[in-house]
C-alpha cells in the first residue's frame, strides 16, 4: 500500500459581538489526509484471501454441481462461471465505495487450443455448490437452461472481449468499468465466460 499525502494548515476563528468588538482564537491545526491507494490480488490462499467462487454447468449432467472441481471445463457443452468477493460488504478486502482505478480478471488456461471469449456479468446470485445446468440455486431455475437467458441470467453487453492463444497461458481481461460500477452499488454476481470463436476442442482453466 502507498500512503496518501498529508497536508496540514493552520486556521483561526474570529468572533464579533453586536457592539463590533472582536476576538480571534488561537490557531488550530487542520490536517487533511488523502486516501491511501493499494494494489490487491484476489486469489484464494494469497494473503489469507478465500473469496473466489467458480463452477461450470454441464448439459451432459443437468442436475449435477461441479463447484468443488479443481478446474473449469470449457467447450460447447459447458458454461463457466467465476466470481470474487471484492468489497467489504461481500466479504472482500476493498472498502465499500472505494475508487477503483483499474481491475483485471485473469484465468489460466492449462490446456491447448486458441479461442476468443467475452466476459459477461451474471445477473443471478448463483451459488458455487448449488448451481447446475437447470438452476442457479436450489429451487431457483435459470431463465433458460445453462444460464442462457440474455438480460435475465447474464448481461447482454460484455464487459470485455479477449483472445487466448494456442499454448497454455493466461487469459487476461480488463474489467475496470464493471468493478467501478460495482463500487457504485451495482451487484457483484461475477462473470460468465462466453465463447465467441476459435478452436472448439475442450479446454481447462
Amino acid at each position: 500500500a502507498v500512503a496518501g499525502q498529508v497536508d496540514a494548515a493552520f486556521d483561526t476563528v474570529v468572533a464579533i459581538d453586536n457592539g463590533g468588538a472582536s476576538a480571534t482564537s488561537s490557531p488550530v491545526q487542520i490536517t487533511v489526509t488523502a486516501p491511501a491507494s493499494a494494489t490487491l490480488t484476489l486469489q484464494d490462499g494469497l494473503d489469507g484471501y478465500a473469496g473466489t467462487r467458480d463452477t461450470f454447468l454441464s448439459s451432459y449432467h443437468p442436475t449435477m454441481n461441479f463447484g468443488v472441481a479443481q478446474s473449469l471445463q470449457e467447450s460447447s457443452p459447458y458454461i463457466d462461471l467465476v466470481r470474487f468477493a471484492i468489497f467489504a460488504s461481500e466479504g472482500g478486502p476493498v472498502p465499500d465505495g472505494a475508487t477503483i482505478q483499474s481491475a483485471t480478471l485473469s484465468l489460466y488456461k492449462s490446456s491447448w487450443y486458441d479461442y476468443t471469449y467475452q466476459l459477461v456479468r451474471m445477473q443471478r446470485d448463483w451459488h458455487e455448490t448449488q448451481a447446475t445446468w437447470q438452476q442457479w440455486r436450489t429451487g431457483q431455475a435459470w431463465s433458460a437452461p445453462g444460464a442462457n437467458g440474455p438480460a435475465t441470467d447474464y448481461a447482454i453487453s460484455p464487459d470485455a472481449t479477449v483472445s487466448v492463444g494456442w499454448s497454455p497461458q493466461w487469459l487476461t481481461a480488463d474489467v475496470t468499468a464493471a468493478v467501478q460500477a460495482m463500487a457504485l452499488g451495482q451487484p457483484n454476481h461475477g462473470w460468465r465466460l462466453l465463447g465467441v470463436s476459435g478452436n472448439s476442442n475442450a479446454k481447462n482453466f
Side-chain angles (χ1 to χ4, degrees), residues 144-188:
N148 281 311
T152 52
D153 294 331
Y154 68 92
I156 295 175
S157 299
D159 288 326
T161 300
V162 61
S163 297
V164 64
W166 185 270
S167 61
Q169 60 189 265
W170 285 97
L171 177 156
T172 301
D174 183 346
V175 292
T176 302
V179 180
Q180 287 172 337
M182 295 171 191
L184 294 174
Q186 290 190 15
N188 173 15

Side-chain angles (χ1 to χ4, degrees), residues 85-110:
I86 300 173
F87 299 99
S89 58
E90 57 191 15
V94 180
D96 292 337
T99 299
I100 305 300
Q101 296 177 334
S102 65
T104 300
L105 189 151
S106 298
L107 299 172
Y108 187 72
K109 181 173 69 71
S110 58

